[in-house]
Amino acid sequence: MKLTLFRKFLLALLLIAILPLVFSSATLFLNLKSTSSRLAERISETTDRQASENLESRAREIADDISLFLEDCENDLQLVASLPHTPEILTTFYNSKKEEIWQRSGTQAEPVDKHFRIPRYAELEIIDATGMQKLVIRNGRMLPAGERVNVANPANTRFKNETYFSETAKLKRGGVYVSHLKGFHVGKQDQLGSAKDSESAFGGREYEGVIRFATPLYRGKGEFTGIAVLSLDHRHLMEFSQHVQPGKVEKTVFPSYKSGNYAFIFDDEGWIITHPNFWDIRGVDADGREVPPYTEKSSQADIDSGRIPFNLDHAGFIHPNYPVAALSVRHGKSGYVDTTNVGGARKVMAYAPIVYKKGEYARHGIFGGVTIGFQTDLFHEPARTAAGIIHEQMRSHLAKSGLILSLTMLLALLAAWWISRSITRPLALLTEQTRAIAVGSGSSRVAIDSRDEIGELASDFNRMAEELESRNSRLMETLSALDRSREEVTGERNFMEGVVNSISSAILPFSPQGVLISVNTNTVKILGDRVLPGMHYREIFSDWPDIVARIEETVAGGAGFGRKPFSAGQKYYDIGIFPIGQKMEQGITVTIRDETEKEQMRQEMTRMDRLASLGRLSAGIAHEIRNPLTGITLLLDDLHDHPSFDSETKGLMSRALAEIERVEKLINSLLHYAAPPGSEFRLASLNALVNETLLFFRKVCEKNGVRLESTLQEMPEFCFDPEKIRQVLLNLLRNSLNASAEGGSITVATTVTAESALLTVSDNGQGIAADDLPLVFEPFFTASSGGTGLGLSISQRIIEEHNGRIEVTSEKGCGTTITITLPLKERV
């Protein structure tokens, strides 16, 4: 039977009217028992999830507390390293670090809870560079010399195989080594004695272990003198997990292992390091060998004796989620899983990582993990009660729903038949004519005499058919024209993109709103790939506010178009602004051409011409002045020795001779500047040259009340002209001395990189004004009344002969620093 529109409409109305009631009632009727069971399961799952999330949150809190505790131990270690290593001071520190622990004692019949304070650290050691213990405080007692050993040999250590001395000795100053838990393994019978389980065991052997925190000790400029060690007492670590009662706020002195409601801590290697059963904790035997973990291959003898420390990575045979939890913690994640302990207790185990990255824990970035287990059966009773209540409510609802459903079905059937008939018959006719139009028969029209909405629909349908025929013809013509236009536009666009990308300037067209429209290849080369279409010009030129201001002035005034030079630091550009359209109605175009290389070449040529001219001029003037000065000097010498002149006249002649001598020195400087002698490069030590020069100059500084200091870094010998570098250093030192007031200081420093040696001269004198900084290397520029202005210019020429650089940084009133960079590569 064909499912016609009438039948569909009738069925749809029936379904809309009665389907919700039929579906809900039938579902409740057929699945009452299963629904009740599922609700109970969901309530149980929700309860379990909430409990698990609470356990996870509590595990994270404990993990965070342990992380802070470990960091505090680090701080204690650094404090010990910095303290004077005297017995009195270290004993005072050791006794100040006491914390409370809570343990049980007595007997099973008369148990006693004890709260008492013990030192945080079982041991404090100061060890010399050979590994010999210089000072040891163990369990509150200072060990005499006869009991101290050399721990460089692991066999001499407390647990027979420890390498903390050699590991710490490898570290740099300030480094910290942290070991894994070390302690002798406690067997099952050692803890239980005659008791059947750990909860009822009293007076058995306790686990005694430590975690070593160590740091190297250095003296002066890096001489290794030994190590300092703090050994954390394992009992303080047990305090974080031993007293946890899952599901309760109050704590317990000792948890119940049989119930599964307890917490334990494991390290980053998966070993358990705190647990109610001490035989589950990692440890070594009497010879210092690590006791192997409990596996499915462990012998029955080892199981019976409790020689089975627990490692989560090897515990998959007990429950597969133990290795899963260990792996998740190594990835820094917290969570919860279902597990079963060795005693058979089913529980939810929440876990959280203890974040810590020092010493042996750097590999995974964690100290380990905290786990809290809790049985889930206690949470299911509320779910069973809720299921009974739901079952009774559903039975009552079904009875009422059946009556309502029967009445609704009868009324809906009658209404649906009448409505469907009045709508579907005209629609069937419209459907028939629509198919005729779809196959291209445009002459078909709908003939319906109805004056209601169906009649209006038929009239509109006929007009639509006529319009479709007309538009179809026009559409085909338009599509043909569009295809031709698209091909033309694509060709023109590709041509223009090729032209724009071939231009050497960056071209940035902006819309009237200031938004970048496109970029060419050189835009990326000049401004970088951060510039993208859609960015505003204020964002693009945020580092060049002058360009932003020029664009805004040009756009606001409608004038100022064209190219102008622009500089940014050591870069030089030619910036052009041009309108798009006669009145910028389509925006503006900004062009940027990199003129840096051309400008630098121009400046260098100008400088070389000026220096060459100055050199020729200086040589000519010096030659012409020196001859008359020589005659004047000889004449004054002769007159000075004549007996007819009185002492005052002879004094004036002596002053004249001194001034002529000063002019002679100036002439010598000019000749040296105009025709400097060639450099003689040879392998030499820069530090030795500096020390010799400072030895000569220190007396001059002391005479003027200026402090002269030096900081020299070791560096290899390399090729340079020692005499000329000494001349440069003396020029810089004289300038610093002239700029320094009494009480000032001058600092000379050398440093070395892979390719260069750096010589730095700094002072805290009067500094150089910002306007004068560009002129300091110009010939005859000086701020000193007695200077020639040639010292820095000659120094610059010497450094350039060495293929080096000389740079000046200064601030008026704050001093000056001059840095010389010399290449280490030997000259050929």
Side-chain angles (χ1 to χ4, degrees), residues 374-666:
F374 201 7
Q375 285 184 302
T376 57
D377 293 341
L378 299 177
F379 294 98
H380 295 328
E381 185 60 32
R384 289 191 287 269
T385 302
I389 296 173
I390 292 171
H391 184 73
E392 292 297 326
Q393 292 292 328
M394 283 187 165
R395 188 183 308 176
S396 173
H397 175 71
L398 279 175
K400 296 177 182 178
S401 298
L403 178 61
I404 296 172
L405 179 62
S406 300
L407 294 175
T408 303
M409 287 183 69
L410 180 59
L411 294 174
L413 179 62
L414 294 174
W417 182 88
W418 182 78
I419 295 173
S420 300
R421 183 67 179 172
S422 63
I423 295 176
T424 57
R425 186 173 176 276
L427 290 178
L429 184 57
L430 283 170
T431 302
E432 181 181 352
Q433 297 305 322
T434 302
R435 289 173 181 168
I437 293 174
V439 297
S441 178
S443 61
S444 298
R445 297 293 182 268
V446 177
I448 297 177
D449 297 332
S450 174
R451 296 183 179 180
D452 57 11
E453 288 83 354
I454 298 297
E456 293 179 1
L457 177 61
S459 178
D460 292 339
F461 176 83
N462 292 334
R463 287 194 297 272
M464 179 191 69
E466 294 174 358
E467 184 67 22
L468 281 175
E469 292 175 3
S470 175
R471 292 189 178 185
N472 184 56
S473 177
R474 294 195 300 271
L475 180 61
M476 296 305 295
E477 295 175 358
T478 303
L479 287 175
S480 179
L482 284 174
D483 287 339
R484 292 192 299 271
S485 299
R486 183 170 57 250
E487 292 176 359
E488 294 174 359
V489 170
T490 301
E492 292 179 1
R493 184 186 61 191
N494 293 338
F495 174 75
M496 293 302 297
E497 285 182 355
V499 171
V500 171
N501 285 330
S502 66
I503 297 174
S504 61
S505 299
I507 300 178
L508 295 90
F510 292 96
S511 68
Q513 291 76 32
V515 176
L516 181 63
I517 299 172
S518 64
V519 297
N520 69 335
T521 304
N522 280 289
T523 299
V524 177
K525 291 181 180 178
I526 294 175
L527 297 179
D529 55 7
R530 68 177 185 85
V531 177
L532 299 172
M535 296 175 64
H536 197 274
Y537 68 80
R538 292 191 185 92
E539 182 181 0
I540 295 172
F541 299 117
S542 59
D543 294 334
W544 296 352
D546 292 346
I547 301 301
V548 175
R550 181 185 167 193
I551 293 174
E552 292 177 346
E553 290 174 2
T554 302
V555 172
F561 297 109
R563 299 181 180 276
K564 291 184 180 180
F566 173 76
S567 63
Q570 299 298 320
K571 304 289 286 184
Y572 297 89
Y573 303 98
D574 183 78
I575 309 294
I577 302 177
F578 305 97
I580 304 177
Q582 291 184 350
K583 297 183 179 180
M584 298 183 292
E585 61 272 11
Q586 298 180 34
I588 62 171
T589 298
V590 177
T591 64
I592 304 175
R593 186 166 61 225
D594 192 342
E595 299 286 324
T596 302
E597 185 176 354
K598 184 186 298 183
E599 179 64 20
Q600 289 176 345
M601 187 178 298
R602 185 191 65 78
Q603 292 178 359
E604 183 62 20
M605 291 297 296
T606 302
R607 176 176 171 271
M608 294 301 293
D609 289 343
R610 186 172 66 252
L611 290 179
S613 300
L614 182 61
R616 290 192 295 270
L617 178 64
S618 298
I621 292 174
H623 180 73
E624 293 300 326
I625 293 176
R626 172 170 280 179
N627 291 334
L629 281 180
T630 301
I632 294 171
T633 301
L634 293 174
L635 180 59
L636 286 175
D637 277 335
D638 186 48
L639 291 175
H640 183 272
D641 296 333
H642 202 279
S644 62
F645 293 108
D646 56 21
S647 59
E648 181 179 356
T649 302
K650 289 183 178 183
L652 291 174
M653 291 180 182
S654 297
R655 290 177 58 187
L657 286 170
E659 290 299 315
I660 291 173
E661 184 179 357
R662 192 172 71 84
V663 173
E664 183 72 23
K665 290 181 179 178
L666 176 59

